Amino acid sequence: MKAALLVAVAALALSPGGARAPDAPAAAAFDGTWLFDGASDYPGLRAVQITQYGSEATGELFSDWYGMVPMRSLQISGDTATFQVETPSPHDAPTTWTIHRDGDAIRVTGKIWYQHVEAEGHPGPAAAVARFLLPPNPLPRLHKLPDNGLARTPPMGWSSWNHFADKIDDTTIRQIADAMVASGLRDAGYRYINIDDGWQGERDADGVLHANARFPDMKALADYVHARGLKLGIYSSPGPRTCAGYTGSYGHVAQDAKTFAAWGIDYLKYDLCSGEGIFRTAGEVKAAYQQMGEALQATGRGIVFSLCQYGRDAVGTWGRDVGGNSWRTSSDIEDSYASMAKIGFATGGQAQDAGPGGWNDLDMLEVGNGGMSLDEYRTHLALWAIQAAPLILGNDLRHMSAEIRVLLTNRTVIAIDQDALGRVGQRLHVAGPIEAWSRPLAGGGRAIAYFNRGDKRAVVIASDLGGSPAREAWTGQVVAPGSNVSIPAHGVALFRLNPAHFQKPAARPA
Ligand code: GLA
């Protein structure tokens, strides 16, 4: 439709009789449609369409990731055109692009988000851009969705991304499900097996999304996972492309939700990705998430809805309204202490936003991936548990050391994370490298963690343990209130205290 409009505008630019207006440049160097063969995966630049009339010009880029992207402030001078492109993230400044006319071709140079783009375009028919236009995707009016009744405690499971990225297939997922059972992790509470980015194939003529050849039968995979007492998760984006460049749900939201439900999917991670170039305001992002939240609920299947838009736009204040059961609070975690600590100590999610049914998602765990020491991994788990974050493992469960298995099945850390009260813990006090955190637990109990953020062992006085000795979660050491606890570099001492620890001694008779 837009393409046809542009052709019409081009025709109007000609004066009656077809002659160019007197102020038109001698050669309309860029006027027309230019097609790019072999577009790089990101952003998948397919076409440029420019309409020159007189000294003015307008134009658009067409990309797989962002659909039609307007050229802002397009200026043409001789054989060179410059324009600006708004970056996908509404938080960053627009970037300047250049086009040079070179014989029969044009050369486009620019930058979109982090990607430098260089492409050579050749003339093509105006109608060609029609196939690069995105399907319609009218957003719903905002309204509050009902609670789907799921995730009364933070979801626990596993996801493929942190270890495998998109190098995943049906066999690996089945083996991970088997390892989840054999290792005792399922019985410790980890239930979801989440396929992250990289499973998607193409849509058929009816728009139905199919898995790629690495996943020959998604329904059979779900059956396999379910037969082991586990649940299956999957991943998509509200944009046309996922972050790794696979097909997203844009324009097919309800259809994809039905497909997922028919396969027997129990959890959807919905990752903004290319949607950030299309949904430009917080309201649009929210509506795009609500669109999927509604579509999932309309399937009638209980599907945990995990929002991933990197903690922007105060998502914790509206995540539940769009049907969300969790929302990421940050950009991606990496398997390093610096990255994990940046997210874990940042309190990027607000404590008051989380509770039964909706959780601050500090991102998937890196425990066992090899980039941190065991003490750092203990800190990782303790920070996530104190903040009631989903515990979604990210390591290769098939090849897990006994030490890592012991960390992941630690009953105290899991009990803290899964505490029924669902209140998020917060920082109590800081002294030098030591931070004390506290989380209220059901029935008047409390979790206390002393984190040592320093790179040397440090001693802390355990002054927050109430009135009776308590067992440290990792070492099993019994610590008397007010006594010294030695904490390794980047490590943690973690306590789960029952209500009796805090009962006031009976008042002495006068
Ligand atoms: C984003 C998300 C990650 C992961 C990748 C997949 O970066 O934040 O958690 O899902 O996309 O491409």
Side-chain angles (χ1 to χ4, degrees), residues 161 196-197 235 243-244 269 271 308 310 328 332 364:
W161 186 256
D196 204 278
D197 208 352
Y235 168 100
C243 296
K269 172 171 166 183
D271 194 351
C308 178
Y310 332 117
R328 278 268 298 276
D332 293 10
M364 302 163 296

Side-chain angles (χ1 to χ4, degrees), residues 431-479:
I434 302 288
E435 292 195 7
W437 286 57
S438 165
R439 175 176 172 183
L441 302 177
R446 192 162 276 279
I448 297 286
Y450 294 108
F451 296 100
N452 176 6
R453 298 185 67 171
D455 44 23
K456 286 203 258 332
R457 185 171 273 279
V459 171
V460 59
I461 300 170
S463 55
D464 308 279
L465 300 187
S468 44
R471 193 176 291 280
E472 201 283 320
W474 308 107
T475 59
Q477 185 193 351
V478 175
V479 175

Side-chain angles (χ1 to χ4, degrees), residues 216-235:
D217 187 340
M218 227 18 131
K219 171 91 177 68
L221 178 55
D223 290 346
Y224 185 92
V225 167
H226 291 155
R228 280 147 188 80
L230 297 166
K231 292 179 176 291
L232 188 65
I234 212 160
Y235 168 100

Side-chain angles (χ1 to χ4, degrees), residues 65 113 159 161-162 165-166 196-198 235 242-246 269 271-273 308-310 328 330-333 363-364:
W65 282 62
W113 202 20
S159 159
W161 186 256
N162 281 356
D166 65 346
D196 204 278
D197 208 352
Y235 168 100
T242 66
C243 296
Y246 291 83
K269 172 171 166 183
D271 194 351
L272 186 57
C273 301
C308 178
Q309 45 77 276
Y310 332 117
R328 278 268 298 276
S330 70
S331 54
D332 293 10
I333 192 169
D363 206 352
M364 302 163 296

Side-chain angles (χ1 to χ4, degrees), residues 141-202:
R141 275 176 185 283
L142 289 176
H143 64 99
K144 198 167 158 27
L145 300 191
D147 184 343
N148 62 10
L150 302 171
R152 305 334 286 173
T153 61
M156 290 176 68
W158 174 89
S159 159
S160 51
W161 186 256
N162 281 356
H163 185 84
F164 294 95
D166 65 346
K167 310 277 180 295
I168 46 170
D169 53 39
D170 177 277
T171 305
T172 308
I173 300 299
R174 287 173 190 241
Q175 290 173 352
I176 292 287
D178 290 343
M180 187 76 113
V181 177
S183 60
L185 286 165
R186 178 196 63 186
D187 294 341
Y190 298 92
R191 290 292 152 82
Y192 290 93
I193 301 283
N194 293 346
I195 307 170
D196 204 278
D197 208 352
W199 64 268
Q200 309 89 328
E202 302 300 326

